[in-house]
Amino acid sequence: KAGVTQTPRYLIKTRGQQVTLSCSPISGHRSVSWYQQTPGQGLQFLFEYFSETQRNKGNFPGRFSGRQFSNSRSEMNVSTLELGDSALYLCASSEGYEQYFGPGTRLTVT
Amino acid sequence: QKEVEQDPGPLSVPEGAIVSLNCTYSNSAFQYFMWYRQYSRKGPELLMYTYSSGNKEDGRFTAQVDKSSKYISLFIRDSQPSDSATYLCATYNTDKLIFGTGTRLQVFP
């Protein structure tokens, strides 16, 4: 089976812009979770989608949002980018307790 | 207090050594414990997970949970330079996977 894929892999944006990241889960997995990874805070949970519905949400501001499509593919959006949003954004798909991560999208905000 | 605490290291060991990586957690209700390995510029890779207490072995890797002390460990036998990576422990808190900060391991030849 193909693994989790994320696009784009690298992104540079300017403060105040918005960005959309994409994730394609492992075939057959219905749950997709998003995480932010930074050197200071480590891996932090953003939200989880299951069958097109947000099932869980972490402690991030409303500028961070996501959605899931009927084919389980997911997108996350960050509006009004801030310098502190520079991070590796990881997507994980799961069916049960085992979460499998994609390679991540490295976002740099200048 | 953080829900999962992990010494960030770095931990540097010679090839062939036994490595012990450890985490503590705050809530005795946590039941599932995971270990991930993350190479530089890659996503985390699930190594193994355990449910409740006890040991689980997979090749050179052994995961151990001690619920009485809220302590989880990952042992790596016969460590190899290819094991050099950051190791993250994680547990589920009400369906959210919570990670430790990761321990950076360096195995030198």
Side-chain angles (χ1 to χ4, degrees), chain B residues 23-91:
Chain B
C23 291
T24 58
Y25 60 95
S26 61
N27 190 332
S28 56
F30 295 161
Q31 296 277 34
Y32 285 88
F33 304 94
M34 339 289 279
W35 282 97
Y36 284 83
R37 177 175 62 193
Q38 186 174 21
Y39 291 113
S40 181
R41 303 196 173 278
K42 302 277 189 184
E45 169 196 0
L46 179 63
L47 281 175
M48 52 202 307
Y49 76 94
T50 52
Y51 173 74
S52 195
S53 281
N55 292 2
K56 187 172 184 179
E57 191 174 316
D58 184 0
R60 296 183 296 111
F61 298 88
T62 299
Q64 191 174 78
V65 177
D66 182 346
K67 294 208 82 179
S68 62
S69 57
K70 292 192 277 227
Y71 201 80
I72 56 177
S73 302
L74 179 71
F75 299 97
I76 307 174
R77 289 184 299 281
D78 188 24
S79 56
Q80 303 294 310
S82 58
D83 294 328
S84 298
T86 297
Y87 289 80
L88 300 132
C89 59
T91 185

Side-chain angles (χ1 to χ4, degrees), chain A residues 10 13 22 31 45 54 68 76 81-82 85 92 98 101:
Chain A
Y10 302 92
K13 289 287 189 178
S22 181
S31 171
F45 173 78
Q54 188 179 86
Q68 187 180 33
M76 70 162 278
L81 283 165
E82 299 177 1
D85 297 333
E98 299 177 40
F101 285 82

Side-chain angles (χ1 to χ4, degrees), chain A residues 28-67:
Chain A
H29 286 188
R30 289 178 294 169
S31 171
V32 174
S33 298
W34 289 90
Y35 296 83
Q36 181 195 66
Q37 187 175 34
T38 59
Q41 299 296 319
L43 257 167
Q44 293 187 286
F45 173 78
L46 280 157
F47 31 67
E48 180 204 5
Y49 285 86
F50 181 86
S51 293
E52 301 180 66
T53 301
Q54 188 179 86
R55 188 157 71 170
N56 273 301
K57 192 176 187 306
N59 298 324
F60 279 81
R63 299 185 298 107
F64 292 82
S65 63
R67 58 177 176 167

